[in-house]
Amino acid sequence: MSEPLLRFAPSPNGRLHLGHAYSALLNDRVARDLGGRWLLRMEDIDPVRATAANIRGVLDDLDWLGLRWPEPVRFQSEHMEEYGAAADRLRGAARLHPCSCSRGDGAGAVAAREATGEVWPRDPDGSPLYPGTCRAAPAGPVSGLIAAGERCQWRLDMDAASRVAGPLGWTRFGLDGREEAVAARPERWGDAVLVRKDVPTSYHLSVVADDARQGISHVVRGRDLEAATDLHALLAALLGLAPPRYHHHALLLDADGLKLAKSRDSRSLRAMRDAGETAGAIRLRLGFT
Ligand code: GLU
């Protein structure tokens, strides 16, 4: 087997917090335990939030924690053509459909059905499944957008894609080296957006394309992404890519039992550092020497 290769892949949409530090340090430790390396990948596809200042902040925080990684860092924003080509392949195989629904449209359609007493399914993140509005009406408003050459989002036709791919699974690995086959259930997700309106990709499409392109053998990431692995296994199968093995680590929770997230005012590493905490103390607190 070739050298184990891992990656730490933050979205530089804000400053890193303790949860990111844990994930990065764990990647570093697992890579060493496996006798491999880890790469740093900036998932900077969001044109508004992934600012140069945030990217500099992430690099600075990781460096401060004492982590080192091989250069060059892969910046997803520099590879939009590759993701566009992957989307074109899926489009060519009729696995994507255009959609002009805003979040509000989707929520409205679901609310209307629920008002009649229908119980509408949720995806594992708790959002209502896409109600299929544009898929059911390809000649509707979305066709006007396309005819006018305007951008729209493109969703994976989950029923068609799951049927073509057949039963799927992914491999979970434990830190004790044990591996386990897990059945994938991508249908839990409904028609996921693979191409956003503002950029020619999405988190799901670029993460799968990049893990394969970079030859990642082992993914270590938070348990909040475990359910999305269903979708990642499906995408890898549709694109004919070799999937990595996955380890989803427990999430650090804040005092209220909520996941630490940039959006919820959890203290950033930068703020802790400014308050006088040392990188060594943070490493120890997270269980790393
Ligand atoms: N970029 C994602 C995040 O910061 C993580 C992607 C992954 O590890 O698959 O949440």
Side-chain angles (χ1 to χ4, degrees), residues 26-109:
L26 189 61
N27 266 283
D28 185 60
R29 179 153 83 197
V30 174
R32 268 184 287 117
D33 287 352
L34 292 172
R37 292 180 304 146
W38 65 275
L39 307 177
L40 178 61
R41 183 166 81 219
M42 287 288 170
E43 302 212 321
D44 59 340
I45 62 170
D46 192 302
V48 177
R49 295 187 298 161
T51 59
N54 281 337
I55 290 170
R56 271 197 310 276
V58 168
L59 294 170
D60 185 46
D61 288 341
L62 294 175
D63 179 63
W64 177 71
L65 278 172
L67 291 165
R68 299 291 174 262
W69 52 88
E71 297 289 342
V73 174
R74 183 172 173 94
F75 288 86
Q76 290 192 325
S77 59
E78 293 171 2
H79 299 277
M80 290 296 179
E81 277 176 23
E82 286 175 38
Y83 313 132
D88 282 344
R89 283 183 55 200
L90 294 171
R91 233 181 249 118
R95 304 289 170 250
L96 298 187
H97 63 86
C99 174
S100 59
C101 298
S102 65
R103 262 178 218 271
D105 293 338

Side-chain angles (χ1 to χ4, degrees), residues 7 9-11 43 203 207 221 225:
R7 77 331 187 252
S11 304
E43 302 212 321
Y203 158 63
V207 87
R221 61 184 180 186
L225 292 171

Side-chain angles (χ1 to χ4, degrees), residues 42-276:
M42 287 288 170
E43 302 212 321
D44 59 340
I45 62 170
D46 192 302
V48 177
R49 295 187 298 161
T51 59
N54 281 337
I55 290 170
R56 271 197 310 276
V58 168
L59 294 170
D60 185 46
D61 288 341
L62 294 175
D63 179 63
W64 177 71
L65 278 172
L67 291 165
R68 299 291 174 262
W69 52 88
E71 297 289 342
V73 174
R74 183 172 173 94
F75 288 86
Q76 290 192 325
S77 59
E78 293 171 2
H79 299 277
M80 290 296 179
E81 277 176 23
E82 286 175 38
Y83 313 132
D88 282 344
R89 283 183 55 200
L90 294 171
R91 233 181 249 118
R95 304 289 170 250
L96 298 187
H97 63 86
C99 174
S100 59
C101 298
S102 65
R103 262 178 218 271
D105 293 338
V110 169
R113 296 173 85 142
E114 288 187 326
T116 67
E118 197 172 332
V119 176
W120 194 257
R122 301 295 197 258
D123 71 24
D125 284 346
S127 309
L129 289 201
Y130 170 65
T133 316
C134 288
R135 174 161 34 77
V142 74
S143 65
L145 277 186
I146 292 184
E150 288 192 33
R151 286 162 99 162
C152 61
Q153 54 193 344
W154 291 76
R155 292 177 182 269
L156 186 61
D157 182 335
M158 196 58 82
D159 278 344
S162 303
R163 240 179 299 118
V164 173
L168 286 173
W170 52 273
T171 303
R172 171 186 289 144
F173 73 96
L175 300 185
D176 56 4
R178 253 182 279 182
E179 296 198 350
E180 181 190 359
V182 181
R185 291 191 291 135
E187 66 285 356
R188 298 193 284 171
W189 286 96
D191 290 1
V193 173
L194 291 196
V195 176
R196 294 168 25 165
K197 187 176 171 193
D198 58 344
V199 281
T201 189
S202 61
Y203 158 63
H204 298 302
L205 185 60
S206 14
V207 87
V208 169
D210 277 1
D211 283 342
R213 157 77 54 164
Q214 295 188 282
I216 302 300
S217 59
H218 294 73
V219 168
V220 172
R221 61 184 180 186
R223 207 165 278 162
D224 52 337
L225 292 171
E226 181 154 14
T229 310
D230 289 344
L231 206 49
H232 300 171
L234 173 61
L235 278 178
L238 292 174
L239 291 166
L241 303 173
R245 303 163 180 75
Y246 295 90
H247 173 81
H248 295 100
H249 61 74
L251 300 177
L252 302 187
L253 303 178
D254 67 15
D256 301 321
L258 297 171
K259 179 181 126 185
L260 289 180
K262 288 158 281 194
S263 49
R264 244 196 251 107
D265 201 32
S266 26
R267 284 177 72 206
S268 65
L269 294 175
R270 179 75 234 185
M272 293 180 186
R273 181 173 164 185
D274 290 345

